[in-house]
Amino acid sequence: MKQFALVAYDYTDEGALNRRLACREPHLEGLRNLYRSGNFVSGGVVLNDEGKMIGSNAHFRFATREDLEAWLAQEPYMTERVWEQVDIREVKLFDPSI
């Protein structure tokens, strides 16, 4: 399985935070499902200097970049216009158990 790092920044318009909060539970449930299938490794929210949510970061395992892109196409934070800018890079995560 390939490993990927995702950093996504939210839209900055007046309704952006409300859109994030409105679809947060479906977003988190999707991540829980990805975790159960072995695709989600870790992640969380990106905060600005005032502690306001402005984006997300996460690590994933997928067989291919295309598989990750297929997941991303149906991810609520994409379909509901929460994430405006998404950067995805293939990475090699450190495994401290080895």
Side-chain angles (χ1 to χ4, degrees), residues 36-54:
R36 287 189 283 272
S37 68
N39 297 108
F40 178 77
V41 178
S42 67
V45 68
V46 174
L47 304 173
N48 67 10
D49 292 338
E50 291 78 43
K52 178 183 168 191
M53 294 183 286
I54 61 165

mmCIF file of all heavy atoms in Angstrom, residues 36-54:
data_model
loop_
_atom_site.group_PDB
_atom_site.id
_atom_site.type_symbol
_atom_site.label_atom_id
_atom_site.label_comp_id
_atom_site.label_asym_id
_atom_site.label_seq_id
_atom_site.Cartn_x
_atom_site.Cartn_y
_atom_site.Cartn_z
ATOM 1 N N ARG A 36 -11.208 1.597 9.838
ATOM 2 C CA ARG A 36 -11.560 0.176 9.967
ATOM 3 C C ARG A 36 -11.071 -0.635 8.770
ATOM 4 O O ARG A 36 -10.732 -1.806 8.906
ATOM 5 C CB ARG A 36 -13.064 0.022 10.160
ATOM 6 C CG ARG A 36 -13.531 0.446 11.554
ATOM 7 C CD ARG A 36 -14.986 0.096 11.813
ATOM 8 N NE ARG A 36 -15.920 0.991 11.171
ATOM 9 C CZ ARG A 36 -16.382 2.128 11.694
ATOM 10 N NH1 ARG A 36 -15.991 2.531 12.884
ATOM 11 N NH2 ARG A 36 -17.252 2.864 11.039
ATOM 12 N N SER A 37 -11.019 -0.014 7.600
ATOM 13 C CA SER A 37 -10.546 -0.721 6.404
ATOM 14 C C SER A 37 -9.032 -0.628 6.234
ATOM 15 O O SER A 37 -8.485 -1.187 5.287
ATOM 16 C CB SER A 37 -11.244 -0.168 5.154
ATOM 17 O OG SER A 37 -10.831 1.168 4.903
ATOM 18 N N GLY A 38 -8.355 0.075 7.142
ATOM 19 C CA GLY A 38 -6.900 0.180 7.076
ATOM 20 C C GLY A 38 -6.397 1.316 6.211
ATOM 21 O O GLY A 38 -5.187 1.415 5.989
ATOM 22 N N ASN A 39 -7.280 2.188 5.741
ATOM 23 C CA ASN A 39 -6.860 3.268 4.850
ATOM 24 C C ASN A 39 -6.489 4.563 5.565
ATOM 25 O O ASN A 39 -5.713 5.360 5.040
ATOM 26 C CB ASN A 39 -7.951 3.576 3.818
ATOM 27 C CG ASN A 39 -8.223 2.416 2.912
ATOM 28 O OD1 ASN A 39 -9.249 1.763 3.011
ATOM 29 N ND2 ASN A 39 -7.284 2.120 2.031
ATOM 30 N N PHE A 40 -7.063 4.813 6.748
ATOM 31 C CA PHE A 40 -6.775 6.038 7.493
ATOM 32 C C PHE A 40 -5.756 5.730 8.576
ATOM 33 O O PHE A 40 -5.933 4.795 9.348
ATOM 34 C CB PHE A 40 -8.059 6.590 8.120
ATOM 35 C CG PHE A 40 -7.849 7.832 8.946
ATOM 36 C CD1 PHE A 40 -7.662 9.055 8.343
ATOM 37 C CD2 PHE A 40 -7.839 7.760 10.328
ATOM 38 C CE1 PHE A 40 -7.468 10.200 9.103
ATOM 39 C CE2 PHE A 40 -7.654 8.898 11.101
ATOM 40 C CZ PHE A 40 -7.467 10.135 10.480
ATOM 41 N N VAL A 41 -4.674 6.530 8.628
ATOM 42 C CA VAL A 41 -3.619 6.326 9.613
ATOM 43 C C VAL A 41 -3.765 7.312 10.771
ATOM 44 O O VAL A 41 -3.821 6.915 11.927
ATOM 45 C CB VAL A 41 -2.224 6.462 8.962
ATOM 46 C CG1 VAL A 41 -1.123 6.300 9.990
ATOM 47 C CG2 VAL A 41 -2.069 5.465 7.817
ATOM 48 N N SER A 42 -3.815 8.592 10.448
ATOM 49 C CA SER A 42 -3.922 9.623 11.483
ATOM 50 C C SER A 42 -4.340 10.932 10.834
ATOM 51 O O SER A 42 -4.252 11.096 9.622
ATOM 52 C CB SER A 42 -2.588 9.813 12.211
ATOM 53 O OG SER A 42 -1.624 10.370 11.326
ATOM 54 N N GLY A 43 -4.766 11.855 11.663
ATOM 55 C CA GLY A 43 -5.119 13.154 11.115
ATOM 56 C C GLY A 43 -5.739 14.049 12.161
ATOM 57 O O GLY A 43 -5.946 13.655 13.308
ATOM 58 N N GLY A 44 -6.026 15.256 11.741
ATOM 59 C CA GLY A 44 -6.631 16.228 12.630
ATOM 60 C C GLY A 44 -6.860 17.539 11.931
ATOM 61 O O GLY A 44 -6.716 17.662 10.715
ATOM 62 N N VAL A 45 -7.195 18.521 12.727
ATOM 63 C CA VAL A 45 -7.542 19.836 12.218
ATOM 64 C C VAL A 45 -6.310 20.744 12.213
ATOM 65 O O VAL A 45 -5.410 20.590 13.046
ATOM 66 C CB VAL A 45 -8.690 20.445 13.065
ATOM 67 C CG1 VAL A 45 -8.237 20.763 14.470
ATOM 68 C CG2 VAL A 45 -9.279 21.670 12.409
ATOM 69 N N VAL A 46 -6.258 21.653 11.249
ATOM 70 C CA VAL A 46 -5.244 22.700 11.204
ATOM 71 C C VAL A 46 -5.875 23.940 11.829
ATOM 72 O O VAL A 46 -6.999 24.323 11.469
ATOM 73 C CB VAL A 46 -4.793 22.998 9.753
ATOM 74 C CG1 VAL A 46 -3.841 24.180 9.716
ATOM 75 C CG2 VAL A 46 -4.156 21.766 9.121
ATOM 76 N N LEU A 47 -5.160 24.553 12.773
ATOM 77 C CA LEU A 47 -5.660 25.743 13.469
ATOM 78 C C LEU A 47 -4.836 26.964 13.096
ATOM 79 O O LEU A 47 -3.632 26.858 12.849
ATOM 80 C CB LEU A 47 -5.571 25.536 14.982
ATOM 81 C CG LEU A 47 -6.287 24.311 15.555
ATOM 82 C CD1 LEU A 47 -5.957 24.167 17.042
ATOM 83 C CD2 LEU A 47 -7.787 24.421 15.337
ATOM 84 N N ASN A 48 -5.491 28.127 13.108
ATOM 85 C CA ASN A 48 -4.731 29.359 12.919
ATOM 86 C C ASN A 48 -4.195 29.826 14.276
ATOM 87 O O ASN A 48 -4.372 29.140 15.294
ATOM 88 C CB ASN A 48 -5.577 30.430 12.221
ATOM 89 C CG ASN A 48 -6.738 30.936 13.055
ATOM 90 O OD1 ASN A 48 -6.858 30.647 14.251
ATOM 91 N ND2 ASN A 48 -7.614 31.700 12.433
ATOM 92 N N ASP A 49 -3.560 30.978 14.313
ATOM 93 C CA ASP A 49 -2.947 31.464 15.549
ATOM 94 C C ASP A 49 -3.965 31.741 16.656
ATOM 95 O O ASP A 49 -3.608 31.776 17.830
ATOM 96 C CB ASP A 49 -2.127 32.727 15.277
ATOM 97 C CG ASP A 49 -0.899 32.456 14.426
ATOM 98 O OD1 ASP A 49 -0.445 31.290 14.382
ATOM 99 O OD2 ASP A 49 -0.390 33.406 13.804
ATOM 100 N N GLU A 50 -5.212 31.942 16.288
ATOM 101 C CA GLU A 50 -6.270 32.196 17.269
ATOM 102 C C GLU A 50 -6.985 30.902 17.698
ATOM 103 O O GLU A 50 -7.939 30.944 18.461
ATOM 104 C CB GLU A 50 -7.296 33.188 16.718
ATOM 105 C CG GLU A 50 -6.768 34.608 16.552
ATOM 106 C CD GLU A 50 -5.904 34.775 15.311
ATOM 107 O OE1 GLU A 50 -6.273 34.249 14.240
ATOM 108 O OE2 GLU A 50 -4.837 35.412 15.423
ATOM 109 N N GLY A 51 -6.562 29.756 17.170
ATOM 110 C CA GLY A 51 -7.169 28.488 17.512
ATOM 111 C C GLY A 51 -8.410 28.147 16.704
ATOM 112 O O GLY A 51 -9.127 27.211 17.031
ATOM 113 N N LYS A 52 -8.656 28.876 15.614
ATOM 114 C CA LYS A 52 -9.815 28.635 14.749
ATOM 115 C C LYS A 52 -9.471 27.562 13.716
ATOM 116 O O LYS A 52 -8.380 27.557 13.154
ATOM 117 C CB LYS A 52 -10.202 29.940 14.046
ATOM 118 C CG LYS A 52 -11.349 29.799 13.085
ATOM 119 C CD LYS A 52 -11.618 31.115 12.367
ATOM 120 C CE LYS A 52 -12.569 30.904 11.215
ATOM 121 N NZ LYS A 52 -12.661 32.078 10.354
ATOM 122 N N MET A 53 -10.434 26.648 13.464
ATOM 123 C CA MET A 53 -10.233 25.604 12.452
ATOM 124 C C MET A 53 -10.148 26.238 11.071
ATOM 125 O O MET A 53 -11.053 26.971 10.666
ATOM 126 C CB MET A 53 -11.382 24.599 12.488
ATOM 127 C CG MET A 53 -11.445 23.790 13.745
ATOM 128 S SD MET A 53 -12.758 22.534 13.740
ATOM 129 C CE MET A 53 -14.201 23.573 13.960
ATOM 130 N N ILE A 54 -9.056 25.951 10.352
ATOM 131 C CA ILE A 54 -8.870 26.504 9.006
ATOM 132 C C ILE A 54 -8.503 25.442 7.977
ATOM 133 O O ILE A 54 -8.299 25.745 6.810
ATOM 134 C CB ILE A 54 -7.810 27.621 8.986
ATOM 135 C CG1 ILE A 54 -6.447 27.083 9.444
ATOM 136 C CG2 ILE A 54 -8.251 28.804 9.835
ATOM 137 C CD1 ILE A 54 -5.285 27.993 9.125
#
